[in-house]
Every structure is written in structure tokens, then in C-alpha cells.
Amino acid sequence: MAAKSIMMAAFNSPIIHRLQVVVTKTQQTFIYESDELTALVSTLHQHMKYYGYQNVQLPALADVEIFRGRAGDQVIANLVTVSHFGRQLALRPEFTALAAHRYTKLYGDQRKTVRWQFNGSVFRETAHQANQQMSLGAELIGLGVSLADAEIVSMAVLGLSKALDMTNLRIEIGHIGLIRNCLSQFQLDKRTERFLLGHLSELAYDKLSPDELINHFEVMMTAGQDKASPEQSSPRPDDIAQEARHMLDIMLDATRSGATMGGRTRENVVRRMLQKRQRLAEIGRFKEAVHYLYQLTHISDQPNEAFAEIRRLVSEDNSAAQQDLQEWQSIIELVIAYGVDEGHISIDPGLLRDWNYYTGIVFNIDSSNGIRLGGGGRYDELIEFVGGNEHVPAVGFGYYVDAIMECKEPSSSPKIDTSILFLTWDEHVEPVLIVQWSKMLRDAGMNVFIQRDSITSDVPNHNHLHLTVDGQIRYQQQSYTFNDLTALIEGIAAQ
Amino acid sequence: MNTKYNSYAPVTLALPSKGALAQPTLNFLQDCGLAVWKPNPRQYTGNIPAVEHLDVMFQRVKDVVYKVADGSAQLGITGLDVVREYADENVMVIHNDLNYGHCQLVVAVPEAWVDVENIADLADVALDIREEQHRDLRIATTYTTSSRRFLHENGIHHFSLVKADGAIEAAPTLGYADAVIDLTQTGTTLRENRLKMLEDGTIITSQACLIANQQALEQHPQLMRVVKILLEYIDGALNGKRYYQLSANAAAESQEQIIALLSKYHVTADAHGVSVVPASQDGNRYTLTLSVLKRDMLAVVEYIRQLGGNQITVQPVRFVFLDESPTYSQLKTKLQPAQPDPTPDR
């Protein structure tokens, strides 16, 4: 009865429910493929080590605020959270926020340049299940020059193309800082800007036309208000002041009759009401911004051609955007100088990744058949956001190891690791003999895998030892006693 | 999963023991000809004499879902809202339109928030609260899973859910939440607590539903036999509620003439249970009976009058049985590969 109660309590718990983790390929791999995974991770680690990146261990479970603070909406929506004695925790959805947090803990207000690399499982909720995937990445914190961006982009690309021999990669590079600075010329309210950036991918990849996006904005802004035409609903300052008085009257009346305010004040409500009306007044500028961004995000070409088109669209008076453009070009030149094939690079101003997380360049690396293998970008505000120095720049990337494993050519057969010896035995062999033989072989530096069942046909003969009931090992049609151990080891080594 | 059910054991139907669905469920089953027999009011078990091998257990609405999920009960009646919130992949909704226990799970904010009319406004307010007060928008609810899913899907990411089990509408007044997500039937309780629903803030439109343990359904023909009987009663009764049975006397030369006249009007042509029998010895008057949709009743009355009919009486219909229960047909399709038709008990 007690056991049943416990079982039901566990079942009833939303926490347990939400933690039914679905493991992806890297967690399901067969033992020999797991060696391939280890080799892949080790190769990429070594590759990054050449650039001076140190291994760091970051926690799998951390305070939810570390991830929610500045993570993109998509990351927040897909967080796998648990409640632990009233504290909200989350399984890491990625490493960057944890790295920023670690940096702040270690260096406080100082600015120090660090190069860190890490790997492990990351967790995201997809289709209402926690999904576990393998990630491997690096962060370069404290260096804000183009060289740093170029180092990260090229290290990420060359890790796949040179260290793992993956060919025909496609690298898309965008610049969220440039987009933001171009948008600033339209002087939009910050929520209108957020709305626009939130829908920019749909605009860039033709999931929404400019007119549909404008219509969407108008519907949202006019919902619950008089359904006047946008032109008519653009309020004049006098109207706004009159409306403010009217709203205050309503609010005061409501308060007198005991209305609840939740956690907001009357001033909060009135201010937002007015801001909402103000946004409607911006509709003309919003439309201009949408059409401008539509043009800008529909440029996608090789660097020289793309930059010529972008330059045409970026106002000469917008010095911040001009500076971003110059920086972007400089990064591409350096990436090419690092040895990344220019023909594989595509400049894509519509590439945003998580726009409220990144502040400068953003990039994706895809396989020739369009599978996303990794990506990253610059995030200069994150360290400040997690409590560190406001002037600490940072750039980083992550590999999607599951996707890389899927795209990578399978290793040549046989898959069996030849250093493993499979030791089987006859039915009546004394267990102590099995232990003695395996110990002696292991002491001699052999990897011994004792296996009661018969071995599979893909194990080569020279990896198979069989212990007979008389205590002798049969190997390659010869029998060996304890006294013949040296001969046996030499025989194995000769294979 | 071990469903805890074997083909020799009686099937168990879990029903709500308390709350808004408890008595309406018993009334509904009685209307369907499936009256529940309970040895005494304080006992949590019973049976339905109309269906052999069918036991009943009474549980809280939430526990009905858990019992079906873990196979302790193979069937259950509860609210769709509860199923969406607590069910796992073992729970299958067999009938989602039992037509009682209607309610909605809605987002509601203080009436005084005159700047908030829709979910986009609430998303904006969540950002305001985050930026100005450095905290999350707090929402009180019992339905944390459905709420979390809905809020994220609608662009609200900075929120914290305050789990509460009762008097949720009072949370903003008491100060421990800014807004609520709660069940409502008419919105009266929300209004009385000075809250308003958002125009696009309906998360679930709910009513009572019949659920089953999917694995048990797939593995046990005996269970499918019981389900078939239940669904015949339920679909028959729900269908019956949509119909009236009309009887009238009419003068005609023959039965065939009346049938021909009825078939000329599309409503009477499609009517169920048409019968025409002589009403007098001389063979000139006939009594016709037919079942028509309630919405067509007056049109049919008028048509029968035009044919010279009189003494028209109308009665409710208790059951309308089609060739097979439509819900049972759909269930068999869902449970592909196709289930063999259960051999009727003899």
C-alpha cells in the first residue's frame, strides 16, 4: 500500500512528469559508436586547444534566472525547469549563460580575457517532452575586436572541415548589431522594435509579407479599441492628454469602489495606455521600417556582392550602422585569411538567431544537405546582465554534436575496436579461472571484455580468446597455459 | 506499461466523486440508460447493472485521469481540462462531446487594467513588470501545465505561476498574484472579483469526456466489448436529444401515397423511423410517425398540415441508434491495426 502511494505521488508530481527526458542519438549509441563519439569530441577538443581554449566544467542544473535573464524567448519557452524546496532550477539549455555567470563569479568587476571550451548534455523541451542533446562549444570572453569574432567563426568552421574532414559546409553570417542600429533611424518605441525584431525572421524568409506584418501590428494595437482606420486612430497630443484625464477618471472611480490592481499601480496602467496610443501614432514609421528591413533582409549573397548591396541601404549619416558594416566586412576578411573557403560563406542580414541575446555578428554552419551543425555569435551585454562588468565583450559558439554524428561519414568497417579482446569460455569452466586469465591479460595492458554469450560474427578472430574447461586459452587455433602467457601476448600483439 | 487489467477481470469505470462534475455525471449516465448503482452513499465503488462486468470507482476528477493512466481503471469520465492538464500518452479521449459540464479555462486580469484587452497586451505588461519592478508577472492557477504551454505559445515568457487550489479569483485582491488562469462557466465569479477575461485568452473550452487506457483497449477485446456497449448507449442517448418524434393522422388513398408525399420534402425524406399505419377500418385515414431534428419540428408540422394532417403530437426521443455507434467506429479507426469486431455475448 505504501509503495503504491509513493508511486502515485511520483506520478502525480508535475516535476517528475516534466522530467521524462528523451535522449537523442548520442545517448543511445551502441557501445562501439560511442567510441566514435568520444573520438569526435576528443578531436574537436584538441582542435580548440590549439587556439588556447581551456576545458571548463559547467553545472547541468542551475538557477532558472541565469537562463531567463537574457536568453531568447525560444530558449525560455523551452527551458526544462524543476522546483526544489521553493527554488526554481533549470537544466541547462546551453552553455553560454553559465559561462557568463562563471566568469562574473571568478572575476567580478575585472576585465580579463579567457578562452573556455566545454561539452555535455543540454536540455530543451520540445513537443512537451524534455529533449537531451549533446553540445560542445567555446566562449572567448573579454576580447571585443574583430579578431575575436574571426577566431571563433573560423575555429568553429575549421573544426568541422579540417579536423573532421567534413566538406561543402555552408556558413551564413549576419549582424544583429547592424540591424538594430539601422532600425534606430526610425525612432520606434522599444516595444514596437521588439515586435518587429520578433517577427523579422518570418519577414526575412517570406513566411510573412510586409503587408501581413503591418496588418498584424495594426490588429494587435487596435484590439479592444475603437475600430477606426489607422490614420484616424493616430492621436494628436491634445487627444492623448484628454484621454489621459479620462483614463485617470476611470481608474480613480474603480479604486473608490474597491477594484483590485494586481501588482500594478494606477500610474503604470495610465502610462501604458498612453504608450499604446503612442505606438499607433508611429504606424507610418513602422511601415517604413518594415519595408526597409524587408529589403535589407532579402540580401543574401557571397561577401563582395552582399556588402555592396548592404552599403547602398545603410545611411551614411548612421555612423553606428556604418561602423557595424565596416566591422562585419573586416571579420569576413579575417575569417577568409584563417583559411575558410570564401565560396562557402554567405552574408545574410536576415539571420537573427536569438536577437535579444546577441549584439553583433551571428552565424550558422550547415552541412551540404542543410543540417545545422553549429552556430553562435557576439553577446556583449550578457556579462553585465548576469552581474559582471558592463564593458566585457564576449563571443562564442556551440556545435550540435548529434547533428554532426548524423552527417559524418561512418568510420570504415569493421567497427569493432581492435584493442578489445573478447574472452568467452566453455560451460563448466571455473569462474575463478576466468578472473585469473582476464586479470593477467589486463595487467599486461590488454583490454579484456568477458562475455558469456557467444560473440557476434562481426568480431574478428584475432580479437577472440576462448577459455576451455581444462583452463587453457585457445587463440588463433593454438592453446596457451598460464605458463605460456608471454607467448600469448606476443601472438596477440603480432595481429 | 503494465495495465493491471486482464481479460477475466471486470472493467472499471472511474467517475468523479465530488465537484461540479459528480452529480451531473450520474444524471448523464442515468439519461443514457446507464444508471449507477451504489451500495451506500459513502462507498467509493458501485456498478452499472445495464452493462455486465462493469464496475465503477469514484475518484476526484484529477485522480480519474491518474487511475486510467496507470491502468487501475480502464475507463473514466472527467473534464477535458483535467485531461489536457494531467494525462500522459496512455490516456486516450474516446468521446469528447458528452455535452455537459461545459466550462472554459481562461486568462483573467483585474478590471482596472483598462490598458489590457488581449494576450499581446498582457505580454507587454509582463515586460513592463520585468523592467520596472524587476520581477515576473505572477499568475495564480491550478492548471500549471496548460497555462505554461499557452503563455509561451503566445509570447509571454517572463511569468511565474503561483500554484493555488481554491479561491483563485481572489489572488490579485489578496496581493499574491497579478492575474489568474481559472475555470469559468459564465464569468460571474470572475466579475464579482473585479476581474475580466481577455478576448483571446481562452486556453481550453472544456466539457465532460470519456477516456480510456489506450494500451488496455489495444490488448483486451473484452474491454472493447464493454466500450462498444457504453458507446451505443451514449451515442444513442445523445443522438436522441437532438430529435422529436411526431405523430399525426392524415387522410390518404393509400400508405404509399403518404410515403411518396413525405419523400418529396427533403426534411421528412431524411427522417428516421418513418411508419404509416391505418387509423380507421375504412382505410382512408392513416397514422404516420417519424423522428425529425428538433430544429426542423415546426417546418415538419407545417408540411404535415399542408398534406391535410391533424392531431399532431410531439414527444421527446430517448435513443436514436444508427447502424453503429459513430464514436465506436472512430475509435476502431484510431486503434489501427483494425480491431476484430467483438463477438457479441450470447
Side-chain angles (χ1 to χ4, degrees), chain B residues 184-202:
Chain B
T184 182
Q185 281 181 314
T186 60
T188 309
T189 312
L190 291 174
R191 278 193 297 278
E192 282 171 355
N193 283 279
R194 313 300 299 266
L195 299 174
K196 63 176 179 183
M197 293 184 258
L198 300 184
E199 58 193 23
D200 53 354
T202 300

PDB file of all heavy atoms in Angstrom, chain B residues 184-202:
ATOM      1  N   THR B 184     -14.075  28.873 -15.735  1.00  0.00           N
ATOM      2  CA  THR B 184     -15.289  29.658 -15.559  1.00  0.00           C
ATOM      3  C   THR B 184     -16.377  29.083 -16.452  1.00  0.00           C
ATOM      4  O   THR B 184     -16.091  28.543 -17.527  1.00  0.00           O
ATOM      5  CB  THR B 184     -15.044  31.144 -15.879  1.00  0.00           C
ATOM      6  OG1 THR B 184     -16.244  31.867 -15.653  1.00  0.00           O
ATOM      7  CG2 THR B 184     -14.598  31.354 -17.315  1.00  0.00           C
ATOM      8  N   GLN B 185     -17.623  29.208 -15.966  1.00  0.00           N
ATOM      9  CA  GLN B 185     -18.748  28.777 -16.806  1.00  0.00           C
ATOM     10  C   GLN B 185     -19.415  29.987 -17.436  1.00  0.00           C
ATOM     11  O   GLN B 185     -19.666  30.037 -18.622  1.00  0.00           O
ATOM     12  CB  GLN B 185     -19.757  27.993 -15.972  1.00  0.00           C
ATOM     13  CG  GLN B 185     -19.294  26.562 -15.734  1.00  0.00           C
ATOM     14  CD  GLN B 185     -20.289  25.761 -14.936  1.00  0.00           C
ATOM     15  OE1 GLN B 185     -20.812  26.225 -13.928  1.00  0.00           O
ATOM     16  NE2 GLN B 185     -20.535  24.539 -15.374  1.00  0.00           N
ATOM     17  N   THR B 186     -19.690  30.989 -16.599  1.00  0.00           N
ATOM     18  CA  THR B 186     -20.407  32.168 -17.105  1.00  0.00           C
ATOM     19  C   THR B 186     -19.596  33.440 -16.929  1.00  0.00           C
ATOM     20  O   THR B 186     -19.967  34.477 -17.454  1.00  0.00           O
ATOM     21  CB  THR B 186     -21.721  32.330 -16.316  1.00  0.00           C
ATOM     22  OG1 THR B 186     -21.378  32.497 -14.931  1.00  0.00           O
ATOM     23  CG2 THR B 186     -22.611  31.123 -16.487  1.00  0.00           C
ATOM     24  N   GLY B 187     -18.539  33.394 -16.173  1.00  0.00           N
ATOM     25  CA  GLY B 187     -17.724  34.586 -15.919  1.00  0.00           C
ATOM     26  C   GLY B 187     -18.214  35.377 -14.716  1.00  0.00           C
ATOM     27  O   GLY B 187     -17.595  36.371 -14.335  1.00  0.00           O
ATOM     28  N   THR B 188     -19.290  34.934 -14.077  1.00  0.00           N
ATOM     29  CA  THR B 188     -19.868  35.704 -12.964  1.00  0.00           C
ATOM     30  C   THR B 188     -18.886  35.833 -11.791  1.00  0.00           C
ATOM     31  O   THR B 188     -18.685  36.926 -11.268  1.00  0.00           O
ATOM     32  CB  THR B 188     -21.172  35.019 -12.471  1.00  0.00           C
ATOM     33  OG1 THR B 188     -21.980  34.791 -13.610  1.00  0.00           O
ATOM     34  CG2 THR B 188     -21.910  35.884 -11.478  1.00  0.00           C
ATOM     35  N   THR B 189     -18.294  34.708 -11.398  1.00  0.00           N
ATOM     36  CA  THR B 189     -17.379  34.755 -10.247  1.00  0.00           C
ATOM     37  C   THR B 189     -16.200  35.678 -10.537  1.00  0.00           C
ATOM     38  O   THR B 189     -15.749  36.420  -9.666  1.00  0.00           O
ATOM     39  CB  THR B 189     -16.870  33.335  -9.903  1.00  0.00           C
ATOM     40  OG1 THR B 189     -17.994  32.468  -9.873  1.00  0.00           O
ATOM     41  CG2 THR B 189     -16.164  33.301  -8.579  1.00  0.00           C
ATOM     42  N   LEU B 190     -15.713  35.615 -11.770  1.00  0.00           N
ATOM     43  CA  LEU B 190     -14.598  36.493 -12.119  1.00  0.00           C
ATOM     44  C   LEU B 190     -15.030  37.958 -11.998  1.00  0.00           C
ATOM     45  O   LEU B 190     -14.324  38.774 -11.410  1.00  0.00           O
ATOM     46  CB  LEU B 190     -14.119  36.206 -13.551  1.00  0.00           C
ATOM     47  CG  LEU B 190     -13.418  34.856 -13.783  1.00  0.00           C
ATOM     48  CD1 LEU B 190     -13.143  34.639 -15.262  1.00  0.00           C
ATOM     49  CD2 LEU B 190     -12.116  34.768 -12.990  1.00  0.00           C
ATOM     50  N   ARG B 191     -16.207  38.257 -12.544  1.00  0.00           N
ATOM     51  CA  ARG B 191     -16.689  39.648 -12.488  1.00  0.00           C
ATOM     52  C   ARG B 191     -16.893  40.100 -11.048  1.00  0.00           C
ATOM     53  O   ARG B 191     -16.558  41.226 -10.694  1.00  0.00           O
ATOM     54  CB  ARG B 191     -17.997  39.790 -13.274  1.00  0.00           C
ATOM     55  CG  ARG B 191     -17.766  39.943 -14.784  1.00  0.00           C
ATOM     56  CD  ARG B 191     -19.026  40.392 -15.485  1.00  0.00           C
ATOM     57  NE  ARG B 191     -20.099  39.423 -15.387  1.00  0.00           N
ATOM     58  CZ  ARG B 191     -20.221  38.353 -16.176  1.00  0.00           C
ATOM     59  NH1 ARG B 191     -19.330  38.121 -17.131  1.00  0.00           N
ATOM     60  NH2 ARG B 191     -21.227  37.514 -16.041  1.00  0.00           N
ATOM     61  N   GLU B 192     -17.431  39.198 -10.227  1.00  0.00           N
ATOM     62  CA  GLU B 192     -17.659  39.562  -8.824  1.00  0.00           C
ATOM     63  C   GLU B 192     -16.350  39.872  -8.101  1.00  0.00           C
ATOM     64  O   GLU B 192     -16.330  40.598  -7.120  1.00  0.00           O
ATOM     65  CB  GLU B 192     -18.391  38.429  -8.095  1.00  0.00           C
ATOM     66  CG  GLU B 192     -19.876  38.422  -8.430  1.00  0.00           C
ATOM     67  CD  GLU B 192     -20.579  37.185  -7.910  1.00  0.00           C
ATOM     68  OE1 GLU B 192     -19.900  36.290  -7.373  1.00  0.00           O
ATOM     69  OE2 GLU B 192     -21.813  37.109  -8.075  1.00  0.00           O
ATOM     70  N   ASN B 193     -15.271  39.301  -8.602  1.00  0.00           N
ATOM     71  CA  ASN B 193     -13.957  39.570  -8.011  1.00  0.00           C
ATOM     72  C   ASN B 193     -13.204  40.655  -8.775  1.00  0.00           C
ATOM     73  O   ASN B 193     -11.991  40.751  -8.662  1.00  0.00           O
ATOM     74  CB  ASN B 193     -13.132  38.283  -7.936  1.00  0.00           C
ATOM     75  CG  ASN B 193     -13.580  37.398  -6.803  1.00  0.00           C
ATOM     76  OD1 ASN B 193     -13.201  37.612  -5.651  1.00  0.00           O
ATOM     77  ND2 ASN B 193     -14.435  36.434  -7.116  1.00  0.00           N
ATOM     78  N   ARG B 194     -13.937  41.418  -9.565  1.00  0.00           N
ATOM     79  CA  ARG B 194     -13.400  42.551 -10.320  1.00  0.00           C
ATOM     80  C   ARG B 194     -12.298  42.135 -11.289  1.00  0.00           C
ATOM     81  O   ARG B 194     -11.287  42.800 -11.451  1.00  0.00           O
ATOM     82  CB  ARG B 194     -12.880  43.652  -9.373  1.00  0.00           C
ATOM     83  CG  ARG B 194     -13.824  44.020  -8.239  1.00  0.00           C
ATOM     84  CD  ARG B 194     -15.157  44.527  -8.745  1.00  0.00           C
ATOM     85  NE  ARG B 194     -15.066  45.710  -9.555  1.00  0.00           N
ATOM     86  CZ  ARG B 194     -15.202  46.958  -9.113  1.00  0.00           C
ATOM     87  NH1 ARG B 194     -15.453  47.167  -7.842  1.00  0.00           N
ATOM     88  NH2 ARG B 194     -15.113  47.988  -9.922  1.00  0.00           N
ATOM     89  N   LEU B 195     -12.524  40.983 -11.927  1.00  0.00           N
ATOM     90  CA  LEU B 195     -11.582  40.509 -12.944  1.00  0.00           C
ATOM     91  C   LEU B 195     -12.293  40.468 -14.288  1.00  0.00           C
ATOM     92  O   LEU B 195     -13.527  40.327 -14.344  1.00  0.00           O
ATOM     93  CB  LEU B 195     -11.075  39.101 -12.608  1.00  0.00           C
ATOM     94  CG  LEU B 195     -10.321  38.940 -11.287  1.00  0.00           C
ATOM     95  CD1 LEU B 195     -10.012  37.469 -11.033  1.00  0.00           C
ATOM     96  CD2 LEU B 195      -9.024  39.741 -11.289  1.00  0.00           C
ATOM     97  N   LYS B 196     -11.546  40.555 -15.361  1.00  0.00           N
ATOM     98  CA  LYS B 196     -12.147  40.455 -16.701  1.00  0.00           C
ATOM     99  C   LYS B 196     -11.350  39.449 -17.531  1.00  0.00           C
ATOM    100  O   LYS B 196     -10.127  39.328 -17.392  1.00  0.00           O
ATOM    101  CB  LYS B 196     -12.164  41.818 -17.379  1.00  0.00           C
ATOM    102  CG  LYS B 196     -10.773  42.397 -17.640  1.00  0.00           C
ATOM    103  CD  LYS B 196     -10.846  43.699 -18.412  1.00  0.00           C
ATOM    104  CE  LYS B 196      -9.433  44.247 -18.624  1.00  0.00           C
ATOM    105  NZ  LYS B 196      -9.395  45.541 -19.292  1.00  0.00           N
ATOM    106  N   MET B 197     -12.072  38.757 -18.396  1.00  0.00           N
ATOM    107  CA  MET B 197     -11.410  37.795 -19.288  1.00  0.00           C
ATOM    108  C   MET B 197     -10.799  38.550 -20.461  1.00  0.00           C
ATOM    109  O   MET B 197     -11.335  39.579 -20.867  1.00  0.00           O
ATOM    110  CB  MET B 197     -12.419  36.796 -19.825  1.00  0.00           C
ATOM    111  CG  MET B 197     -12.977  35.888 -18.776  1.00  0.00           C
ATOM    112  SD  MET B 197     -14.064  34.678 -19.541  1.00  0.00           S
ATOM    113  CE  MET B 197     -15.647  35.357 -19.155  1.00  0.00           C
ATOM    114  N   LEU B 198      -9.710  38.019 -21.010  1.00  0.00           N
ATOM    115  CA  LEU B 198      -9.117  38.633 -22.195  1.00  0.00           C
ATOM    116  C   LEU B 198      -9.801  38.054 -23.434  1.00  0.00           C
ATOM    117  O   LEU B 198     -10.148  36.870 -23.464  1.00  0.00           O
ATOM    118  CB  LEU B 198      -7.614  38.373 -22.234  1.00  0.00           C
ATOM    119  CG  LEU B 198      -6.843  38.918 -21.030  1.00  0.00           C
ATOM    120  CD1 LEU B 198      -5.354  38.688 -21.202  1.00  0.00           C
ATOM    121  CD2 LEU B 198      -7.122  40.406 -20.829  1.00  0.00           C
ATOM    122  N   GLU B 199      -9.930  38.882 -24.455  1.00  0.00           N
ATOM    123  CA  GLU B 199     -10.746  38.458 -25.602  1.00  0.00           C
ATOM    124  C   GLU B 199     -10.159  37.227 -26.315  1.00  0.00           C
ATOM    125  O   GLU B 199     -10.908  36.453 -26.898  1.00  0.00           O
ATOM    126  CB  GLU B 199     -10.930  39.628 -26.572  1.00  0.00           C
ATOM    127  CG  GLU B 199      -9.615  40.188 -27.096  1.00  0.00           C
ATOM    128  CD  GLU B 199      -9.785  41.531 -27.801  1.00  0.00           C
ATOM    129  OE1 GLU B 199     -10.772  42.226 -27.536  1.00  0.00           O
ATOM    130  OE2 GLU B 199      -8.907  41.854 -28.628  1.00  0.00           O
ATOM    131  N   ASP B 200      -8.849  37.064 -26.271  1.00  0.00           N
ATOM    132  CA  ASP B 200      -8.251  35.885 -26.895  1.00  0.00           C
ATOM    133  C   ASP B 200      -7.564  35.013 -25.846  1.00  0.00           C
ATOM    134  O   ASP B 200      -6.579  34.335 -26.127  1.00  0.00           O
ATOM    135  CB  ASP B 200      -7.261  36.297 -27.995  1.00  0.00           C
ATOM    136  CG  ASP B 200      -6.232  37.304 -27.475  1.00  0.00           C
ATOM    137  OD1 ASP B 200      -6.375  37.755 -26.321  1.00  0.00           O
ATOM    138  OD2 ASP B 200      -5.294  37.636 -28.221  1.00  0.00           O
ATOM    139  N   GLY B 201      -8.120  35.060 -24.632  1.00  0.00           N
ATOM    140  CA  GLY B 201      -7.456  34.367 -23.526  1.00  0.00           C
ATOM    141  C   GLY B 201      -8.097  33.049 -23.114  1.00  0.00           C
ATOM    142  O   GLY B 201      -7.935  32.611 -21.980  1.00  0.00           O
ATOM    143  N   THR B 202      -8.831  32.417 -24.028  1.00  0.00           N
ATOM    144  CA  THR B 202      -9.403  31.109 -23.677  1.00  0.00           C
ATOM    145  C   THR B 202      -8.385  30.017 -23.982  1.00  0.00           C
ATOM    146  O   THR B 202      -7.961  29.858 -25.126  1.00  0.00           O
ATOM    147  CB  THR B 202     -10.700  30.855 -24.463  1.00  0.00           C
ATOM    148  OG1 THR B 202     -11.620  31.882 -24.120  1.00  0.00           O
ATOM    149  CG2 THR B 202     -11.308  29.507 -24.109  1.00  0.00           C
TER     150      THR B 202
END
